[in-house]
Structure formats: structure tokens, C-alpha cells
């Protein structure tokens, strides 16, 4: 997890008190007072001593006191210290891991897998599940066919190694006869099936430069069609469970909720945030303003990359209120990332 090197040093009593307060607040949603902590924190100290410790924690920026209550609630910095050094996380129970794996079967196609993963994340945490879509060029293609549509439009039908089928319309510079399209398709299938899309484009251009005259026409046609047919997709992500946030107490402000839903609809900022986690190994947690996005200042994002064959394909995660049960959400996200990666790897091997 993403730790901060400048976390304030706390003595054992303060740490235990902070852990107990945040645990109570996550459970109840109500500010926690010294009398409650005296009963539940497991410290053999007076309520007055507890009040002094709480005052110190507030001065350190880890707690705040709402105007309407004598109790205190954690700040984003308090949550950060809690998840980095006070939280005890246990692996997801075997039964729930089995459920994840059974509902993310290999061979069901990328879009179905991603949709199932986001729905499962939402169902298991009661928050928003989010999964970034892998870039198409990361997958090998199995077969390509070209179908003439009209004078200068061609339909390219691509079948990828992850069972995904895509149809793309290509605008050509000149009309192609059916026989020409068949020869290009046969050439690409014979020489490039099983290779990543990005590698195919680069290899075709290199071979065209080195080709003898009798091969140049076929290669030139292949380059023209393949450049568009195998062009990179735009980034995207799959979301599920956005409406679950409408009942969250901390997000009851309608203006804040509208901004959050608009960010979900735009996707761009959230995708950029997910992209920041792709190259970082392991699980990441962004709390409130740590996201750097104003609409997400009232929520937390727990993410983990999912991989296949040593390649990071994308990132999945959960978006929920800062007052979430991190000890529950973290193992769900990690187990879902493992299960999704395994499903992709098994699917590519079929």
C-alpha cells in the first residue's frame, strides 16, 4: 500500500485509541466521544486522559470535531495512518474466493469478464466497482477477415486471443476487389496469427521497406488495411453500482453527489487516476483529496492491477466513502484482481 514517510509518530496508547476511534466511526457513522472510547478502547485510563490524547490527535491533524458534537471523526490524514500502519487485513475467506473465480470464468470474452468483475466488486463491497479495459494491442490476434462494403469502405473482422471479436470499418484510399482483400487476409493470418497487434504494424512497415518488387504490392495493401484495422482502441472502463453511493451518509450533499456522478459519466479523470496505478505494483489506496480530483474528495479508491502472463492488462478497484470498512474492501479488491488475471490467462491459453 502507498505509505507516507512523514506519518506522525504516536505512542502505543495514542495508536490504540486512534485505531479504536476509527473502527467505531466506520461501524456507526457517528462522532466518537471519550466516554465511548473509555468503554471500548481497552485502555486502563480515565476519560480525562482519553480527552487529552484525543486533543493531541486533533492537533496532529488526524481527527476533527464536528461543530454539532463533542465527539471526533477521522480526517483523511487519520485514515491514511490507519490503513498504512494500524489496520489488520485478513485474506478473503476461501468460500468468497471460490465465488469470485466461479463467476469470472475463462473463455467468456473480455467485455463479459470485465462486466462480471465490476458487478462482483460492487456486490461484495456495496460500493462502486470499476475496471479499466485492457488496451487491445496487448492481445494477440487469431484471425482477420476483410469484407468489401462499398467503393472505399471495408469491414475488418478481428478475432483476438481473449475470445473478443471486433468489427471495424476502414476507409480506404481506393477501391479493393474481393480477391485483393482475401489475399491480404490470408497473408496476415499466415504470418502474424498469435502475435501482438502493435508488433504486427511495426513488422509490416519494416518488411515493406525491405521487400522485393514482387512482394511490395501485397505488403503495401496489407499495411494500408492493417494500419486502420489494428489501430489502438480508445481507453475505457466499466463501472457498476454507482447508485449505491446515493444512500451513503457522508455523500448526502446533492451538489457533491452530482459532481461525483458527472465524473463517472465523463470517465476521463478516473481513467487517468487508474492509469497512475498501472505501473505501481500491488494494491493502492487513495483517500479523499489524495486523488487530486475535486469530485472524488469525499471518497476513497482502492485499486489493484490485474495481470496475465506477466503483463499488466489493467486496473480494477472500488470507489466508496472514506468511511469504508477497509479491512473488508482491501482483500476483496486483491482477490478480484488475482481471479480476473487468472481468467484472462486461462482464456488466452484455450
Amino acid at each position: 500500500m502507498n505509505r507516507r514517510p512523514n506519518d506522525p509518530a504516536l505512542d502505543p496508547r495514542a495508536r490504540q485509541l486512534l485505531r479504536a476511534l476509527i473502527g467505531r466511526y466506520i461501524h456507526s457513522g457517528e462522532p466518537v466521544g471519550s466516554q465511548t472510547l473509555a468503554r471500548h478502547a481497552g485502555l486502563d485510563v480515565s476519560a480525562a486522559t482519553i480527552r487529552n490524547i484525543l486533543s493531541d490527535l486533533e492537533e496532529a491533524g488526524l481527527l476533527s470535531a464536528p461543530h454539532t458534537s463533542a465527539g471526533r471523526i477521522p480526517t483523511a490524514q487519520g485514515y491514511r495512518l490507519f490503513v498504512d500502519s494500524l489496520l489488520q487485513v485478513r485474506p478473503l475467506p476461501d468460500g468468497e474466493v471460490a465465488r469470485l473465480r466461479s463467476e469470472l470464468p475463462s473463455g467468456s470474452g473480455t467485455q463479459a469478464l470485465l462486466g462480471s468483475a465490476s458487478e462482483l466488486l460492487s456486490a461484495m463491497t456495496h460500493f462502486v466497482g470499476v475496471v479499466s479495459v485492457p488496451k487491445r494491442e496487448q492481445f494477440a490476434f487469431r484471425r482477420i477477415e476483410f469484407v468489401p462494403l462499398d467503393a472505399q469502405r471495408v469491414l475488418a473482422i478481428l478475432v483476438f486471443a481473449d475470445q473478443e471479436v471486433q468489427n471495424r470499418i476502414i476507409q480506404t484510399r481506393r477501391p479493393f476487389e474481393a480477391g485483393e482483400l482475401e489475399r491480404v487476409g490470408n497473408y496476415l493470418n499466415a504470418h502474424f496469427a498469435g502475435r501482438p497487434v502493435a508488433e504486427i504494424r511495426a513488422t509490416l512497415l519494416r518488411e515493406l521497406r525491405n521487400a522485393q518488387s514482387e512482394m511490395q504490392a501485397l505488403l503495401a495493401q496489407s499495411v494500408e488495411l492493417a494500419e486502420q484495422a489494428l489501430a489502438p482502441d480508445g481507453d475505457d472502463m466499466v463501472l457498476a453500482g454507482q447508485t449505491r453511493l446515493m444512500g451513503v451518509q457522508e455523500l448526502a450533499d446533492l451538489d457533491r453527489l452530482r459532481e461525483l456522478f458527472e465524473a463517472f459519466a465523463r470517465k476521463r479523470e478516473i481513467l487517468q487516476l487508474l492509469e497512475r496505478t498501472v505501473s505501481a505494483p500491488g494494491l493502492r489506496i487513495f483517500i479523499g483529496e489524495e486523488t487530486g480530483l475535486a469530485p472524488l474528495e469525499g471518497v476513497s479508491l482502492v485499486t489493484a492491477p490485474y495481470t496475465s502472463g506477466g503483463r499488466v492488462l489493467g486496473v480494477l478497484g472500488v470507489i466508496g466513502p472514506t468511511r469504508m470498512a477497509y479491512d473488508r474492501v482491501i482483500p476483496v479488491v486483491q482477490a478480484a484482481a488475482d481471479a480476473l488475471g487468472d481468467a484472462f490467462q486461462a482464456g488466452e491459453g484455450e
Side-chain angles (χ1 to χ4, degrees):
M1 288 183 282
N2 38 334
R3 297 182 181 274
R4 299 292 186 271
N6 57 346
D7 285 339
L10 301 178
D11 64 40
R13 286 195 311 184
R15 291 170 66 86
Q16 186 170 341
L17 200 63
L18 182 62
R19 181 191 291 116
L21 185 145
I22 295 178
R24 293 293 300 177
Y25 180 66
I26 287 174
H27 177 73
S28 70
E30 299 294 333
V32 183
S34 56
Q35 295 293 338
T36 300
L37 287 172
R39 293 193 300 270
H40 297 284
L43 290 173
D44 188 18
V45 295
S46 66
T49 300
I50 289 176
R51 283 194 294 272
N52 289 336
I53 298 173
L54 292 178
S55 179
D56 292 340
L57 292 172
E58 186 175 352
E59 189 174 335
L62 302 174
L63 300 177
S64 65
H67 298 302
T68 57
S69 170
R72 289 172 171 82
I73 63 175
T75 62
Q77 186 180 351
Y79 279 123
R80 168 53 57 195
L81 181 61
F82 175 71
V83 299
D84 282 350
S85 59
L86 303 178
L87 185 64
Q88 295 178 333
V89 179
R90 295 181 177 85
L92 202 64
D94 291 344
E96 295 190 60
V97 173
R99 174 191 172 189
L100 272 169
R101 294 187 176 278
S102 69
E103 298 194 34
L104 294 175
S106 63
S108 56
T110 292
Q111 289 302 318
L113 266 180
L114 301 182
S116 296
S118 61
E119 292 284 356
L120 277 169
L121 284 167
S122 178
M124 294 178 75
T125 63
H126 305 292
F127 300 129
V128 179
V130 57
V131 186
S132 69
V133 177
K135 292 179 170 58
R136 238 338 78 200
E137 59 263 35
Q138 296 187 81
F139 294 99
F141 96 100
R142 286 185 169 174
R143 183 167 182 80
I144 189 167
E145 293 183 18
F146 297 104
V147 179
L149 296 177
D150 53 34
Q152 290 181 275
R153 290 194 312 153
V154 172
L155 174 65
I157 305 170
L158 295 98
V159 182
F160 290 89
D162 62 335
Q163 315 299 327
E164 196 73 7
V165 178
Q166 288 194 355
N167 297 324
R168 301 185 182 183
I169 295 177
I170 300 170
Q171 194 77 32
T172 61
R173 290 191 291 271
R174 66 167 181 84
F176 276 82
E177 296 179 2
E180 292 179 299
L181 295 175
E182 185 178 357
R183 282 193 298 274
V184 170
N186 289 341
Y187 175 78
L188 293 174
N189 291 328
H191 291 82
F192 297 102
R195 294 170 68 174
V197 168
E199 180 184 314
I200 295 171
R201 293 195 303 269
T203 303
L204 277 172
L205 289 169
R206 184 172 63 250
E207 290 185 355
L208 178 60
R209 288 194 298 269
N210 299 329
Q212 301 298 320
S213 58
E214 63 269 19
M215 280 293 295
Q216 282 184 337
L218 177 58
L219 282 167
Q221 294 165 0
S222 299
V223 167
E224 179 179 351
L225 295 173
E227 276 189 328
Q228 293 186 61
L230 305 179
D233 281 351
D235 292 333
D236 203 357
M237 66 181 185
V238 180
L239 284 164
Q242 297 95 308
T243 55
R244 293 182 187 272
L245 297 184
M246 296 177 70
V248 173
Q249 176 183 327
E250 293 75 18
L251 301 175
D253 182 275
L254 290 180
D255 289 336
R256 171 170 286 185
L257 198 60
R258 185 180 66 252
E259 289 180 0
L260 183 58
F261 273 69
E262 288 173 352
F264 288 151
R266 287 192 302 270
K267 295 186 178 181
R268 184 181 63 256
E269 298 98 333
I270 298 176
L271 270 169
Q272 290 172 349
L273 180 60
L274 294 177
E275 193 68 25
R276 284 161 51 187
T277 72
V278 167
S279 58
L283 191 130
R284 297 286 303 277
I285 301 174
F286 298 88
I287 299 173
E289 61 265 21
E290 292 176 358
T291 63
L293 302 174
L296 301 189
E297 285 185 356
V299 301
S300 288
L301 172 63
V302 181
T303 70
Y306 61 95
T307 64
S308 174
R311 297 169 295 136
V312 176
L313 298 182
V315 178
L316 58 71
V318 167
I319 299 173
T322 53
R323 187 181 70 85
M324 69 165 65
Y326 293 94
D327 61 335
R328 165 68 179 165
V329 173
I330 288 170
V332 167
V333 169
Q334 188 60 67
D338 294 341
L340 183 58
D342 289 347
F344 269 112
Q345 186 156 347
E348 289 186 80
E350 292 175 356

